[in-house]
Amino acid sequence: MSDAPRHSEQDLQDVAALADGSRTAKTDARLAAYADVEEANCAIGTAITFGELADDLAGVLSRVQNELFDVGADLANPVTDTPPPYPPLRIDETYITRLEQECDSFN
């Protein structure tokens, strides 16, 4: 058996699939944003697990961590003129306002 990496035909293309089946360039900023969201999510998980945080802070960070999955879902569903067959999850002003208020409460 060869130790050479195995790649599908799609892996070798310079495009990535989005949640709606459309394709985007692997250099698309949304793919970099996926990576940034995942990195932030990992950092928050580490802080919750090992940071010996106060319960109120750990609770807020747990919710933020969950909402980062919502951010990923939003990034995975491009905005189009054609309505999708299901309502896509979108990050709206309520997410942002709540996060800003919680940040203010810890400052």
Side-chain angles (χ1 to χ4, degrees), residues 76-98:
N77 284 289
V79 175
T80 63
D81 293 333
T82 307
Y86 54 88
L89 183 60
R90 295 290 180 211
I91 300 302
D92 60 23
E93 190 65 32
T94 59
Y95 283 82
I96 297 163
T97 300
R98 183 174 47 241

Side-chain angles (χ1 to χ4, degrees), residues 24-37 75:
T24 189
K26 287 186 178 177
T27 57
D28 190 311
R30 88 172 54 237
L31 298 182
Y34 286 153
D36 291 343
V37 167
L75 288 168

